[in-house]
Amino acid sequence: MELPIRLFKVQDRSMEPDFEEGTYIFVARTAGELEPGDVVVLRHPSKGMKLVKRIARITGQRYYVIGDNHLVSEDSRSFGSVPRDNILGKVVFKV
């Protein structure tokens, strides 16, 4: 059974200044609607690693995600939009 809330650690600088490297975040699995502006944890579409990104745009079941620190972020600008299945949950709290 997968827990409804999971703890992740931000592993890079792509979401600075709001989410610095080393910040712990609580992520809620959500079956509900996600909206542009929501910060989510997702699986990279080809590398499988977990990323923290902000939803910029939604087209159907495809999500265009970006990092707040555009200079160092690998995001939809490089790998394209991601399907809903790649999104693990929405960030609801940070420590």
Side-chain angles (χ1 to χ4, degrees):
M1 181 175 102
E2 196 167 328
L3 296 175
I5 294 189
R6 296 173 61 189
L7 179 67
F8 290 93
K9 183 177 182 181
V10 177
Q11 300 290 329
D12 63 26
R13 298 177 45 230
S14 71
M15 289 299 290
E16 289 181 346
D18 286 342
F19 298 88
E20 295 180 358
E21 186 174 7
T23 300
Y24 286 93
I25 54 176
F26 289 91
V27 177
R29 290 183 55 210
T30 176
E33 292 296 317
L34 294 170
E35 300 177 353
D38 287 344
V39 177
V40 296
V41 172
L42 64 133
R43 282 188 310 277
H44 189 288
S46 62
K47 298 178 183 176
M49 62 187 181
K50 294 174 182 73
L51 304 172
V52 180
K53 302 295 175 200
R54 188 175 306 277
I55 296 175
R57 183 175 67 237
I58 302 169
T59 305
Q61 288 294 304
R62 304 291 297 186
Y63 293 78
Y64 187 85
V65 295
I66 57 170
D68 290 349
N69 187 351
H70 300 290
L71 297 177
V72 300
S73 181
E74 182 178 6
D75 50 36
S76 287
R77 295 172 297 156
S78 60
F79 54 70
S81 63
V82 295
R84 176 66 171 94
D85 290 347
N86 280 43
I87 297 178
L88 303 175
K90 178 179 172 179
V91 175
V92 293
F93 191 75
K94 69 179 180 177
V95 180

